[in-house]
Amino acid sequence: MNVLVLNCGSATVKFQIIATDLERIQRNTDEKLAYGVIERIGGEAIINFGTAESPTIRSTATLRDHKAAIETIISWAHSETTIPSIKSVSDIHAVGHRVVHGGERFKDSVLITEEVIKGIEECIELAPLHNPANLRGIEAATAAFGRGIPQVAVFDTSFHQTMPEHAFLYALPYQLYRRYKVRRYGFHGISYRYVAYRYRQLTGCSKENTNIIALHLGNGCSIAAIKNGISIDTSMGFTPLEGLVMGTRSGDIDPAIVDYVAAKEGLTAREVDLMLNKQSGLLGISCLTNDMRELLDEVRENNDRRARLAIEIFCYRIRKYLGAYLAVMNGTDSIIFTGGIGQNAPVIREEVIKHFAWCGIKLDPEKNYQTTKEGVISTKDSHVSVMVIPTDEELLIARDTVRKITSARP
Ligand code: ADP
């Protein structure tokens, strides 16, 4: 089965085409046929497409909306001679969508029906920036492929629906939860599910015995405590703003700052919220960039003080959360790094883990600096293993799509 995996943002579509089915899942022989990103939909769009066999090709085109973008993907895919298994639209058999917010309603991935679409619409007030774009992607795929194609929604929040009340409730007046569902939801759930699955594959551990702390460090950053295979706490909250320092998000701050800054700067609460989401984090402190690689270069080449400070604050926040989550978990078997920074920045991993020598957690410097893909980076005698596991959200979405379609068949 060829599954088109779509991750739709307000003006972007990221996609992969993955050949998979129940047997391939079992044997871990899923095949990535194509990938790509279309940016700036609504104007002169920038298109980057690639296949397993050929390098990425960049082009531009005027694309009015998501439907036009998805049609571009389809016509490119079957005109591409390096994907012999796709000759026409009918060779795409299913579509899997990343959907950011499933609220309390969606505790698992689901086959998309009219009722599911209504449910995703109901979650718009919880994710006003993300869910509308995800819905646009579903609509566009229906228009491009017709109503007959099965589509599955895979939610970023679902994995964390197992959090106990004491972890997901804020200490706010309880009626705010009852009336408006103000609570911690957590995000990056697709990534954490993949990482936990891959950890089990690498270690031979059963789901029930999976006790790990995972750090997803990308543009967005979070940490998750996974006990007996399920999420028991995570640092992102009601929105992705809470928790760790991120590329442009502040993470935790004293909520009283919002009102104070609004008054001082003559801003509305919404404008301060935007500042916390878009102008803070690594970018806000460094005044240079939200990109960790560029910050590390700045420190190395120019010893830039603010770039160094941004990195220090970033690592210090992770260290505090890691300490807290070790307590939440009553210890852990493994600490796992993933996401663009987690996978590619050994210096950040070192900066975090070096502070845990007191409890016997030790990195092997050579392994840490040489592991570019996947593996254990702690010493043999470390009390807890430390690992790098590259995330693969698209693969998890494709597999969930296959599973949901198959289980829905009579
Ligand atoms: P997203 O959250 O958008 O999926 P990624 O997971 O790709 O983003 O992470 C992007 C972050 O990873 C950026 O801050 C980028 O600088 C950082 N990154 C990527 N490669 C490296 C590297 N080799 N060294 C340090 N940071 C890196």
Side-chain angles (χ1 to χ4, degrees):
M1 185 181 286
N2 295 325
V3 181
L4 173 64
V5 175
L6 290 177
N7 181 355
C8 295
S10 55
T12 60
V13 175
K14 286 189 197 158
F15 78 94
Q16 283 192 12
I17 303 173
I18 301 177
T20 179
D21 52 41
L22 291 181
E23 204 179 305
R24 280 181 187 257
I25 295 173
Q26 190 71 29
R27 296 187 179 180
N28 203 17
T29 54
D30 325 63
E31 206 180 332
K32 299 216 168 183
L33 303 177
Y35 62 87
V37 188
I38 302 185
E39 293 162 287
R40 298 195 198 162
I41 294 167
E44 186 70 359
I46 302 167
I47 304 170
N48 281 290
F49 288 161
T51 69
E53 310 294 328
S54 65
T56 310
I57 297 162
R58 186 186 163 92
S59 61
T60 57
T62 307
L63 297 177
R64 204 159 39 97
D65 52 20
H66 285 69
K67 180 168 176 276
I70 290 172
E71 277 165 357
T72 305
I73 294 169
I74 299 167
S75 66
W76 167 78
H78 62 71
S79 68
E80 187 58 43
T81 50
T82 50
I83 324 177
S85 59
I86 299 178
K87 294 193 176 60
S88 73
V89 175
S90 60
D91 290 324
I92 305 269
H93 306 112
V95 185
H97 294 266
R98 172 177 181 232
V99 178
V100 169
H101 217 307
E104 287 190 329
R105 178 179 177 144
F106 296 108
K107 298 189 191 305
D108 195 2
S109 307
V110 282
L111 202 56
I112 296 174
T113 59
E114 286 303 321
E115 209 186 322
V116 167
I117 290 176
K118 270 200 210 109
I120 299 172
E121 279 167 358
E122 278 164 25
C123 295
I124 285 180
E125 35 176 28
L126 297 172
L129 296 178
H130 296 104
N131 275 29
N134 303 150
L135 282 164
R136 234 170 283 145
I138 295 170
E139 257 169 47
T142 310
F145 290 101
R147 296 208 162 263
I149 195 164
Q151 300 189 57
V152 170
V154 182
F155 300 89
D156 244 351
T157 46
S158 292
F159 182 62
H160 301 299
Q161 279 295 301
T162 48
M163 279 189 289
E165 247 179 342
H166 66 251
F168 78 65
L169 274 184
Y170 293 109
L172 290 167
Y174 190 79
Q175 69 263 27
L176 293 182
Y177 170 58
R178 239 191 351 235
R179 284 187 200 150
Y180 314 117
K181 295 278 179 249
V182 175
R183 52 159 286 177
R184 172 185 309 288
Y185 290 97
F187 299 84
H188 286 147
I190 302 171
S191 173
Y192 288 129
R193 255 184 76 202
Y194 176 80
V195 163
Y197 147 81
R198 189 69 191 141
Y199 168 80
R200 287 198 289 278
Q201 241 191 0
L202 292 171
T203 59
C205 185
S206 68
K207 184 166 178 195
E208 294 66 36
N209 288 322
T210 300
N211 294 307
I212 57 178
I213 297 175
L215 279 151
H216 181 112
L217 308 177
N219 274 316
C221 300
S222 70
I223 178 168
I226 302 170
K227 197 168 175 70
N228 304 328
I230 62 171
S231 171
I232 61 162
D233 206 350
T234 191
S235 58
M236 283 179 168
F238 181 63
T239 75
L241 183 56
E242 195 183 345
L244 303 181
V245 174
M246 313 182 207
T248 60
R249 295 189 190 118
S250 62
D252 295 340
I253 60 159
D254 181 339
I257 292 171
V258 175
D259 190 49
Y260 185 80
V261 170
K264 288 284 182 197
E265 295 270 304
L267 301 172
T268 62
R270 192 175 285 262
E271 285 166 335
V272 178
D273 183 82
L274 206 66
M275 182 192 272
L276 299 179
N277 271 292
K278 300 276 181 204
Q279 294 159 24
S280 302
L282 295 174
L283 173 66
I285 301 159
S286 70
C287 284
L288 289 171
T289 173
N290 62 330
D291 192 293
M292 180 57 86
R293 202 169 4 190
E294 289 175 18
L295 285 177
L296 289 168
D297 288 348
E298 270 303 315
V299 172
R300 202 169 29 241
E301 288 159 22
N302 305 320
N303 198 19
D304 186 276
R305 191 187 90 80
R306 294 271 284 279
R308 189 160 12 89
L309 186 61
I311 295 168
E312 274 170 19
I313 296 171
F314 180 87
C315 293
Y316 182 62
R317 183 79 54 85
I318 297 173
R319 179 178 157 196
K320 286 208 284 189
Y321 263 96
L322 190 49
Y325 278 27
L326 284 169
V328 160
M329 295 276 293
N330 294 325
T332 183
D333 292 337
S334 192
I335 296 166
I336 300 174
F337 285 90
T338 195
I341 299 170
Q343 288 161 213
N344 301 305
V347 64
I348 300 294
R349 300 193 294 250
E350 181 180 42
E351 195 47 52
V352 171
I353 298 297
K354 74 180 188 196
H355 296 283
F356 292 87
W358 60 271
C359 61
I361 306 176
K362 285 182 266 170
L363 281 189
D364 178 323
E366 213 169 296
K367 285 185 191 157
N368 182 36
Y369 276 87
Q370 279 171 7
T371 300
T372 50
K373 279 206 166 139
E374 185 173 72
V376 176
I377 55 169
S378 47
T379 57
K380 281 214 167 72
D381 65 347
S382 177
H383 288 186
V384 164
S385 75
V386 184
M387 298 173 79
V388 176
I389 299 184
T391 193
D392 195 341
E393 290 158 293
E394 291 80 10
L395 182 63
L396 193 131
I397 294 170
R399 288 178 167 189
D400 264 17
T401 303
V402 165
R403 289 193 193 103
K404 290 292 152 189
I405 293 169
T406 317
S407 66
R409 278 188 188 141

